[in-house]
Every structure is written in structure tokens, then in C-alpha cells.
């Protein structure tokens, strides 16, 4: 590992932020060595998490008596943050009793990984390393499962028959209210239907509500439904009511009509809202691409004032941003081979001016580099070979990645989502083309992260980020969804690079889910995904 890469990577830390979701981890071990010919070991696994460079114990499994291939019943529940590197360490111990009755503890091996690696594999198997980092015969398997919340939606349809007529000169004007009965017996209105005028046999419109709003995720919670006759003066007349639990209402799920007093359930459907982890655990890979600005405004890389200056121990802003974001994304790409492009430079052998993208190595024929470390080394090797020039055109690189994403879109499967990281020191010179490219890319499985390096005025770049309004192409076509996140690096100059990663990657999980939901693409179930691939750990 290069000093620059290690320096940048080691500066990553943990930050408190809203938890994306919770995951449950289960542990099993195989091939534990039997040190004592007369008895088998009593294994136990300790899980630790790294915080500020220190390994802190999170929890430990139970001790299983006399077992060489234990499957532990203990379930570890951890908060998952996509935008952070969460480093874990598993330590396997053998607990035994000596001849004098004292308990002895032997460390049989350890394994380090990230939570992201476990989640992206769903079943993560790795050899345990003994003291001295030698590979032993025993291995550990971590199985991850999302702790599902109450994100599902319920679709309901109600009607009524032969309602009481509360009006003298016309029929009743009924509407329905549904209340959730809380633990303290208070009532929370969940939904109020439209009013059906002059009708004793109303059929109200189908509506959707979250499972959380309807019953707080409690299937035994009582729901109260009340029918009123609407009056223009607001003094509505009571017609009737009934109570039922969510579980009782689910009896209508098979499509048959269920009548409770005067109310009839026409149908009851639970709509599964897929999460980011559903897609990741279903085999969706994050395809990470980086594009680096090599225009002359960065300054001569041989000069210490240059934004591309390579200090022997202190990474420049380009490297800090690359490592901060790439360290996280690489956990969700199984082959960890990343394309790296440059723009705005004259490249060998003829050093012609080109606004198109080029492979970072300049004269290299290799498109992909092994891991973020490989990209870092390619960037360092590239600098002496090229001439910084211009212009700052980023539309070509967006279009290039969009071509990859377009091929994926036509598969109509949730298997590859593309993230393009653009590192640039100035305002782009092809704004119109860039807007056009982003609008096109918003229809594809991709997101764009732009980090502004240096002290330039990036005001014009803010318009590419749809947070303050809807980005439109020069022809007026709006983006289908917000896929761009722009941040100036100087906002994080005195913070850990992890703060930068947290800022630019926090929106990615929702962008992934929004894209696949908009296309009606469901994640593959884990069993379907596992049957289509071979594990190689």
C-alpha cells in the first residue's frame, strides 16, 4: 500500500449520523482445530468495531460446548451507514477448563472486514488469521439480514351498504374515518375518505397509507372505523362504527369481500417497499468511476502550490476526496476494478489538445484499476506523463458512463448501479452540454458526485445540484430525478475526509431505490442471486 493511500485512508473516521437501517449479523465457524485430544474446544466469538483507531467490543456470542463447527444463536444488531466505512473485527476464542477448575481462554484466530463487505456479499466467508497473520484452517461465515422496519404500504378499499338515511330531503352524504388506537388509548386519525354525495351504498376511492401510520407496525393494534353523514355546517351526523385489529383486516387479503357491520372491505393489499439493502443483498453492484481534472488552472504538479502536487506524506485534495468516496464504494463492487479517466490535458505521444476523456495512465491500455489503491497509483504515475491544459469539459465523461448505464438499463434487472465521481478545480466550460447530459443520465441507473477542489468560485456549479430547484436541459426538459451532488472540498478542509464522504454519499441509497422503483424493477431475492454466482473467498 502506498504511503499516500495509507495516509489518506487512515484519516477516515466515524461520525454520528441518522441510521439508514439496522442489520442483523449471524456467525458460524468451520474447521476449528482440536488442540486437546481428549476434548473439543468450547468456542466463542467476540465482535469489535473500530472507532478513532481503537477496537471496541460490541458484543460476543454464547459459548458452545465441545464443537468444532459452531453455529451461534446470538444475533448481533448493528446500525448501518452506507456513507461510512464501518470496520469490524471478529475474534474466535476457545474457552476451556484446566485441571484445577480455572477457565482458560485461547485466541484461535481473527478476521477483519467492513460492514459494507458483509452486506454486499450477504454471506461473507473468510479464513481466520492466527497470530503472526498466518492463515489457519478455520474459517468464519457472517450472514447479514436487514432488520425490516415499517416501510411497507397498505392499499385499502372500503364500501358500505344500506346506510341509515340521516337527511330529510335527500339521502345521506357518507364519508369514512379510520383511527389508530394508541397504547395510551388516544386515537390518531389515519385517513379520511372523500364524501360520496346522496348515496346509501357508497364505494370510496382506494387509498394507500404506510403500515407505520396505520398501525405502528403492530398487527394486533386496534383500528376504529367511523362513518359520518357530512353536513355543510360541520356538524356531521354519526351513522355507525366498528373496531378491528390490523390482523383481522388482513383476512381480506385474498381478495374476497369481508363485511363488518355496515362496512365492507373490497380488498386489502400490502405493498412491499424495497430498501437499499434489498437491492444490495439481491446482488446489485455499485460500479464506481472517477474522473480527474487535469487542466492548467491546477498549477504545475512539480510546484508545491499546485493542487496536483504530490507531497511524500500529505495527500492533496484530489487524493483525499478520491480515497474518502472510493473507500466506501469499493465494498459494494465484487471485482473491485475501477475505471479512472482524466480530462483537460494533452496526452502522449503526440500531446494533442482533446476535450474528450482519456484513461488516467495516459498511455495505458488498461481501462480498470485494482481497487482504490490502484487508482491512486495510476493517478500518481500519470502526472509526469501528461501536460495540463484545458478546457474543463465534463459532459463527455458523463456521457461515457451513461453509455455503460444505458446497457444496464436494457437488462431490466437491478444488478449494476453506476456512481461517477468528478474531481475538478474550476467552473466547467461546457455547462449547456453538461445539463443535457445530466438530464439524459437521470433516466439511467447512475448518480453523479462532483467535488470542487481548490479556491475557485463554484457558484455556477450549484445549479447542477437539484436541491434548490429542478435542473433543466437547454431545451427545457427537466431531470427525471435528482442524481447530482456537488460540494466544494474547502467546506471539509478542516474535517476528516469521512465527513466529505458522508455528505456526498448520504443521498445515494435513496437515489438507487428511487431509480428502481420508478422502473418497477424489484431486487432479486438472495436465494435467486446466490444461485447465479460462485463464492470465492
Amino acid at each position: 500500500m502506498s504511503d499516500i493511500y495509507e495516509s489518506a485512508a487512515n484519516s477516515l473516521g466515524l461520525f454520528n449520523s441518522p441510521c439508514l437501517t439496522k442489520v442483523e449479523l449471524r456467525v458460524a465457524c468451520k474447521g476449528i482445530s482440536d488442540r486437546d485430544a481428549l476434548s473439543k474446544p468450547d468456542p466463542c466469538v467476540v465482535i469489535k468495531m473500530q472507532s478513532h483507531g481503537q477496537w471496541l467490543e460490541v458484543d460476543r456470542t454464547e459459548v458452545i460446548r465441545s464443537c468444532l463447527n459452531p453455529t451461534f444463536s446470538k444475533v448481533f444488531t448493528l446500525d448501518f451507514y452506507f456513507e461510512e466505512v464501518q470496520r469490524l473485527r471478529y475474534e474466535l476464542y476457545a474457552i476451556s477448563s484446566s485441571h484445577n477448575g480455572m477457565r482458560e481462554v485461547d485466541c484461535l484466530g481473527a478476521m477483519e472486514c467492513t460492514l459494507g463487505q458483509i452486506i454486499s456479499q450477504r454471506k461473507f466467508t473468510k479464513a481466520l488469521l492466527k497470530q503472526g497473520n498466518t492463515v489457519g484452517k478455520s474459517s468464519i461465515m457472517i450472514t447479514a439480514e436487514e432488520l425490516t422496519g415499517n416501510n411497507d404500504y397498505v392499499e385499502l378499499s372500503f364500501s358500505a351498504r344500506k346506510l341509515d338515511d340521516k337527511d330529510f330531503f335527500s339521502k345521506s352524504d357518507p364519508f369514512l374515518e379510520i383511527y389508530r388506537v394508541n397504547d395510551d388509548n388516544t386515537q390518531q386519525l389515519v385517513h379520511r375518505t372523500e364524501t360520496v354525495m346522496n348515496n346509501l351504498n357508497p364505494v370510496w376511492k382506494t387509498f394507500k397509507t404506510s403500515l407505520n401510520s396505520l398501525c405502528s407496525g403492530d398487527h394486533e393494534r386496534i383500528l376504529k372505523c367511523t362513518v359520518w353523514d357530512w353536513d355543510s355546517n360541520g356538524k356531521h351526523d354519526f351513522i355507525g362504527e366498528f373496531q378491528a385489529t390490523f390482523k383481522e383486516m388482513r383476512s381480506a387479503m385474498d381478495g374476497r369481500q369481508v363485511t363488518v357491520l355496515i362496512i365492507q372491505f373490497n380488498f386489502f393489499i400490502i405493498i412491499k417497499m424495497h430498501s437499499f439493502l434489498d437491492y444490495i443483498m439481491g446482488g446489485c453492484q455499485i460500479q464506481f468511476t472517477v474522473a480527474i481534472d487535469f487542466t492548467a488552472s491546477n498549477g504545475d504538479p512539480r510546484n508545491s502550490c499546485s493542487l496536483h502536487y504530490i507531497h511524500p506524506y500529505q495527500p492533496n485534495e484530489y487524493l483525499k476526496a478520491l480515497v474518502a468516496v472510493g473507500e466506501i464504494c469499493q465494498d459494494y463492487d465484487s471485482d473491485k476494478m475501477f475505471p479512472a479517466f482524466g480530462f483537460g490535458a494533452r496526452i502522449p505521444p503526440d500531446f494533442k489538445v482533446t476535450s474528450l476523456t482519456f484513461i488516467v495512465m495516459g498511455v495505458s491500455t488498461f481501462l480498470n484499476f485494482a481497487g482504490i489503491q490502484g487508482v491512486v497509483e495510476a493517478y500518481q504515475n500519470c502526472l509526469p506523463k501528461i501536460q495540463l491544459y484545458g478546457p474543463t469539459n465534463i459532459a463527455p465523461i458523463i456521457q461515457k458512463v451513461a453509455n455503460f448505464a444505458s446497457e444496464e438499463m436494457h437488462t431490466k434487472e437491478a444488478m449494476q448501479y453506476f456512481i461517477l465521481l468528478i474531481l475538478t478545480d474550476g467552473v466547467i466550460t461546457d455547462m449547456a452540454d453538461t445539463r443535457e447530459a445530466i438530464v439524459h443520465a437521470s433516466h439511467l441507473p447512475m448518480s453523479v458526485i462532483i467535488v470542487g477542489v481548490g479556491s475557485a468560485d463554484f457558484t455556477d456549479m450549484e445549479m447542477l445540484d437539484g436541491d434548490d430547484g429542478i435542473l433543466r436541459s437547454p431545451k427545457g426538459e427537466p431531470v427525471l430525478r435528482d442524481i447530482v451532488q456537488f460540494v466544494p472540498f474547502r467546506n471539509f478542509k478542516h474535517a476528516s475526509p469521512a465527513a466529505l464522504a458522508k455528505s456526498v454519499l448520504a443521498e445515494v441509497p435513496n437515489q438507487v431505490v428511487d431509480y428502481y422503483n420508478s422502473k418497477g424493477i424489484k431486487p432479486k431475492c438472495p436465494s435467486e442471486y446466490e444461485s447465479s454466482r460462485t463464492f470465492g473467498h
Side-chain angles (χ1 to χ4, degrees):
M1 179 181 292
S2 68
D3 292 338
I4 292 291
Y5 177 80
E6 186 172 16
S7 176
N10 287 342
S11 63
L12 299 174
L14 295 174
F15 284 78
N16 294 322
S17 59
C19 174
L20 174 65
T21 188
K22 291 181 181 291
V23 293
E24 292 182 336
L25 303 180
R26 292 171 170 82
V27 182
C29 296
K30 285 187 177 182
I32 298 177
S33 58
D34 191 355
R35 295 184 176 183
D36 190 341
L38 300 178
S39 63
K40 296 179 181 178
D42 300 340
C44 169
V45 172
V46 175
I47 180 174
K48 296 180 178 180
M49 179 174 284
Q50 191 176 72
S51 179
H52 304 291
Q54 300 294 318
W55 289 109
L56 304 177
E57 180 175 338
V58 175
D59 208 341
R60 59 181 61 192
T61 67
E62 74 279 14
V63 177
I64 297 181
R65 295 292 301 275
S66 301
C67 187
L68 299 179
N69 300 290
T71 297
F72 299 96
S73 62
K74 172 72 176 181
V75 178
F76 301 104
T77 302
L78 298 181
D79 292 341
F80 167 66
Y81 304 90
F82 170 75
E83 65 273 19
E84 294 182 7
V85 177
Q86 296 173 269
R87 302 188 188 280
L88 302 177
R89 177 180 173 87
Y90 289 84
E91 297 175 350
L92 173 65
Y93 291 92
I95 313 298
S96 59
S97 298
S98 63
H99 64 279
N100 58 7
M102 298 293 291
R103 290 169 64 87
E104 296 180 349
V105 179
D106 292 324
C107 182
L108 302 182
M111 183 273 290
E112 294 181 12
C113 63
T114 68
L115 184 56
Q117 288 174 316
I118 296 173
I119 286 172
S120 64
Q121 298 289 342
R122 203 183 79 83
K123 288 185 178 179
F124 183 82
T125 303
K126 196 171 182 180
L128 289 166
L129 299 181
K130 298 185 293 186
Q131 288 185 348
N133 288 332
T134 58
V135 178
K137 295 181 179 180
S138 56
S139 63
I140 187 168
M141 182 175 74
I142 315 298
T143 303
E145 185 175 5
E146 182 178 9
L147 188 61
T148 56
N150 302 319
N151 296 325
D152 295 347
Y153 275 73
V154 180
E155 188 169 314
L156 293 162
S157 175
F158 290 92
S159 62
R161 298 183 61 192
K162 299 180 180 180
L163 294 179
D164 288 345
D165 193 350
K166 298 295 183 179
D167 294 337
F168 289 109
F169 302 107
S170 64
K171 297 177 182 178
S172 295
D173 306 321
F175 67 91
L176 172 69
E177 291 182 332
I178 301 177
Y179 287 86
R180 180 185 73 226
V181 180
N182 297 320
D183 294 335
D184 58 0
N185 289 324
T186 59
Q187 297 181 15
Q188 175 65 51
L189 178 65
V190 175
H191 181 76
R192 179 182 292 114
T193 70
E194 77 283 4
T195 299
V196 179
M197 303 300 291
N198 197 31
N199 195 325
L200 299 182
N201 300 291
V203 178
W204 291 286
K205 292 180 180 178
T206 299
F207 66 93
K208 289 194 298 185
T209 185
S210 71
L211 196 60
N212 188 57
S213 296
L214 183 64
C215 63
S216 301
D218 180 3
H219 290 205
E220 299 293 341
R221 186 171 298 279
I222 294 175
L223 303 174
K224 180 180 176 181
C225 298
T226 306
V227 179
W228 300 89
D229 172 33
W230 178 84
D231 282 328
S232 58
N233 61 8
K235 296 181 179 179
H236 312 305
D237 298 318
F238 175 80
I239 295 180
E241 70 179 15
F242 75 91
Q243 292 186 350
T245 65
F246 172 78
K247 184 178 181 180
E248 290 169 340
M249 285 189 175
R250 288 194 64 176
S251 63
M253 279 190 64
D254 60 3
R256 69 178 185 272
Q257 294 183 339
V258 177
T259 302
V260 182
L261 296 179
I262 58 174
I263 305 298
Q264 188 166 278
F265 302 116
N266 293 338
F267 64 87
F268 185 111
I269 301 174
I270 294 183
I271 303 170
K272 173 66 177 176
M273 299 301 291
H274 297 292
S275 69
F276 175 68
L277 290 192
D278 286 333
Y279 289 101
I280 294 298
M281 292 181 174
C284 183
Q285 301 278 299
I286 299 296
Q287 300 294 331
F288 178 67
T289 302
V290 62
I292 301 174
D293 182 338
F294 289 108
T295 55
S297 55
N298 284 279
D300 187 340
R302 295 169 295 183
N303 190 315
S304 61
C305 295
S306 170
L307 293 171
H308 281 304
Y309 178 69
I310 301 298
H311 190 282
Y313 304 111
Q314 180 63 34
N316 62 36
E317 292 185 5
Y318 280 98
L319 282 170
K320 287 180 180 178
L322 167 61
V323 172
V325 179
E327 273 277 290
I328 292 168
C329 293
Q330 71 176 356
D331 283 345
Y332 304 90
D333 185 343
S334 59
D335 66 8
K336 294 180 174 36
M337 299 296 292
F338 305 115
F341 297 98
F343 58 91
R346 290 171 166 173
I347 60 175
D350 51 13
F351 293 97
K352 289 183 178 180
V353 180
T354 175
S355 61
L356 299 178
T357 57
F358 59 90
I359 300 171
V360 158
M361 284 292 286
V363 296
S364 172
T365 58
F366 295 100
L367 174 63
N368 297 333
F369 303 100
I372 298 305
Q373 179 184 354
V375 177
V376 167
E377 293 171 352
Y379 164 75
Q380 293 173 298
N381 293 334
C382 174
L383 283 171
K385 300 176 182 179
I386 62 174
Q387 294 177 3
L388 274 59
Y389 198 72
T392 309
N393 291 349
I394 67 172
I397 182 61
I398 296 175
Q399 293 163 353
K400 184 178 288 289
V401 176
N403 289 337
F404 300 147
S406 182
E407 294 178 8
E408 170 65 16
M409 180 186 69
H410 293 306
T411 68
K412 297 182 179 179
E413 291 187 340
M415 296 308 294
Q416 292 187 94
Y417 191 91
F418 294 80
I419 293 180
L420 169 61
L421 172 64
I422 300 175
L423 306 174
T424 179
D425 83 314
V427 177
I428 60 178
T429 52
D430 62 344
M431 182 63 76
D433 289 342
T434 296
R435 286 162 54 197
E436 186 76 41
I438 291 172
V439 169
H440 171 68
S442 69
H443 294 260
L444 303 173
M446 68 178 286
S447 296
V448 180
I449 297 168
I450 305 175
V451 177
V453 176
S455 58
D457 182 1
F458 293 111
T459 304
D460 290 344
M461 301 285 278
E462 300 286 352
M463 69 174 294
L464 300 178
D465 191 328
D467 292 344
D468 297 327
I470 299 176
L471 177 68
R472 295 180 182 273
S473 72
K475 298 177 182 178
E477 181 186 355
V479 289
L480 182 65
R481 57 195 183 91
D482 180 15
I483 65 167
V484 177
Q485 182 74 0
F486 170 78
V487 295
F489 187 89
R490 60 174 172 261
N491 292 356
F492 302 89
K493 202 163 189 176
H494 301 294
S496 164
L500 169 67
K502 174 183 170 183
S503 174
V504 299
L505 290 174
E507 294 182 9
V508 168
N510 286 335
Q511 290 173 346
V512 172
V513 172
D514 288 348
Y515 169 76
Y516 289 119
N517 279 343
S518 70
K519 299 295 184 181
I521 300 175
K522 297 180 180 180
K524 286 188 175 183
C525 62
S527 59
E528 182 183 1
Y529 165 54
E530 288 165 12
S531 66
S532 65
R533 77 184 187 104
T534 302
F535 286 93
H537 299 294

